[in-house]
Amino acid sequence: MRKQRRRRRSHALVGAVAVTAALGLAGCDVLGGSSASSGGKPRASRAVAVWDSSPASIAAVGDSITRGFDACTVLSDCPEVSWATGTSDQVDSLAVRLLGRAKAADHSWNYAVTGARMADLSGQLADAAVRRPQLVTVMVGANDACRTSVRAMTSVTAFRTQFEDAMDTLRKTLPKTQVYVASVPNLKRLWSEGRTNPLGKQVWKLGICPSMLRDADNLTNAATLRRDKVQQRVEDYNKVLEQVCAKDRRCRFDGGAVYDYRFGTDQLSHWDWFHPSTDGQSKLAAIAYRTITAKAP
C-alpha cells in the first residue's frame, strides 16, 4: 500500500512539473499576460494601447478636398481652409484642434494634390515622411470613381494594391506614425443635392465627375444604372480602406463617417457644387477630430 501511495505521489508531482513547464514555454499566465523574464520582472502586456490622441505634428495627403479646392475662389486651391491643416478661423482645422493655432503653423504640412488618385498616394506619403509627422491624414478615392465613364474607374483590385503599397511605403520609413483614413464621400448624394441648383448643373456640364454627374436630370434606367455602379464602386473602395487600415494597429478608419454625413448645399462649393465649401471643410475637420480623439476606433 505504501509503495502504491508513493508511486501516486510521484506521478502527481511529475504531472504538476509538466504542466508548469508547458505554461512556462507558452509564455502566458491566467490573465493573458507574458511570463516573468529571467530577471524576475514581469514583461509588459501585449495589450498596450498604441494610439495617441494628442500627436505633436500632422501631415496631410490626398486630393483636391484636402487642398480646399474651389472653397475660396474659382478653380483654385485654398489650403488655408483645408479641413486637415488649414489656418482659417472659419474651419477650425484638425491641426488647429489638435496642436493649437500657434503650433499648427509650424508642425503641420499639406502634401495633397488636386486631381490625385490612389495611385499617387505612395509618392505623397514618401514626401510627407521626410517631415517625420506623428500623424498622417489620408483622404483619397473620389477621383478614382469620378472618371469619364464607368469603365474608366479604378478597379477595386488595383485600388487595394495601391493602398497597400502606399502603407508599406510609409511603414518602411515611419513604423510608428499614426494614420487617419477618411472614407470616400457619398457621390450619389452629391448628385441628388447638387442637381437642385440650376447653376450647379450647368457647371457640371464642364466635365465635373462625369461618371456620376453627367446628364444630371436624366432619370432613365440606363442613367440610374450608371450612377448605381459608381456608387457601388465608392462603397467597395471604402471597404478596402477599412480592411487595409484594420491590419495596421496604428491606423484608424473613420468608420464611414464622411460617407454617411448627410451634407446639403451649404456644405458644397458654390463655384462648382462638387467640392466642400468652407462650412463643408469645417464638418470634415470635426469628423476627423472625433475619430482621432475617441478612446476606441
Side-chain angles (χ1 to χ4, degrees):
M1 291 293 291
R2 290 180 180 178
K3 290 182 179 180
Q4 290 178 351
R5 287 176 183 172
R6 287 174 184 172
R7 288 173 183 170
R8 289 173 184 170
R9 288 175 185 171
S10 176
H11 290 165
L13 180 59
V14 171
V17 171
V19 170
T20 302
L23 288 174
L25 289 172
C28 63
D29 58 26
V30 293
L31 296 178
S34 299
S35 63
S37 65
S38 57
K41 296 180 180 179
R43 296 174 186 170
S45 169
R46 293 181 180 179
V48 175
V50 297
W51 187 264
D52 181 4
S53 59
S54 302
S57 56
I58 301 171
V61 296
D63 54 30
S64 55
I65 295 177
T66 302
R67 291 298 299 174
F69 187 82
D70 267 3
C72 303
T73 55
V74 65
L75 298 178
S76 299
D77 288 348
C78 190
E80 57 265 34
V81 300
S82 167
W83 66 272
T85 59
T87 56
S88 171
D89 292 339
Q90 294 176 284
V91 173
D92 197 15
S93 72
L94 177 66
V96 170
R97 296 177 195 226
L98 289 175
L99 309 178
R101 193 166 299 282
K103 191 175 181 179
D106 298 323
H107 291 77
S108 64
W109 309 277
N110 194 323
Y111 287 93
V113 177
T114 293
R117 301 200 295 272
M118 183 56 83
D120 302 306
L121 194 63
S122 285
Q124 291 184 17
L125 286 174
D127 291 340
V130 175
R131 298 283 189 175
R132 304 195 71 80
Q134 291 188 8
L135 173 70
V136 172
T137 67
V138 176
M139 181 179 284
V140 68
N143 290 324
D144 290 271
C146 283
R147 309 298 294 153
T148 55
S149 67
V150 169
R151 280 189 172 186
M153 294 189 297
T154 303
S155 71
V156 177
T157 299
F159 190 86
R160 181 184 296 275
T161 299
Q162 291 161 4
F163 186 37
E164 289 175 337
D165 289 347
M167 289 295 290
D168 288 344
T169 296
L170 178 68
R171 289 297 175 229
K172 287 176 182 176
T173 306
L174 301 175
K176 295 184 179 180
T177 288
Q178 298 180 160
V179 182
Y180 162 74
V181 179
S183 49
V184 181
N186 188 328
L187 297 181
K188 194 168 186 180
R189 181 172 180 82
L190 180 68
W191 163 76
S192 65
E193 290 293 312
R195 67 187 290 267
T196 62
N197 186 277
L199 176 60
K201 288 186 290 187
Q202 289 300 314
V203 173
W204 289 351
K205 291 180 180 179
L206 299 177
I208 297 177
C209 195
S211 56
M212 175 62 77
L213 304 180
R214 183 177 70 248
D215 301 326
D217 288 327
N218 186 343
L219 302 179
T220 62
N221 289 338
T224 299
L225 179 60
R226 166 172 54 84
R227 296 186 193 105
D228 287 346
K229 287 182 177 179
V230 176
Q231 188 69 351
Q232 183 60 57
R233 187 61 54 90
V234 168
E235 293 176 3
D236 289 342
Y237 289 164
N238 283 333
K239 288 179 183 177
V240 168
L241 296 176
E242 180 177 19
Q243 291 167 356
V244 174
C245 186
K247 296 177 182 178
D248 188 315
R249 64 177 184 163
R250 288 186 170 86
C251 183
R252 274 194 181 184
F253 179 60
D254 72 1
V258 169
Y259 176 86
D260 291 336
Y261 178 67
R262 298 185 66 78
F263 59 83
T265 54
D266 286 344
Q267 284 75 54
L268 296 178
S269 164
H270 288 187
W271 295 109
D272 62 22
W273 303 90
F274 177 81
H275 291 91
S277 63
T278 299
D279 185 65
Q281 292 283 346
S282 179
K283 298 299 189 295
L284 292 173
I287 291 172
Y289 181 76
R290 285 196 300 271
T291 303
I292 291 165
T293 58
K295 291 183 180 180

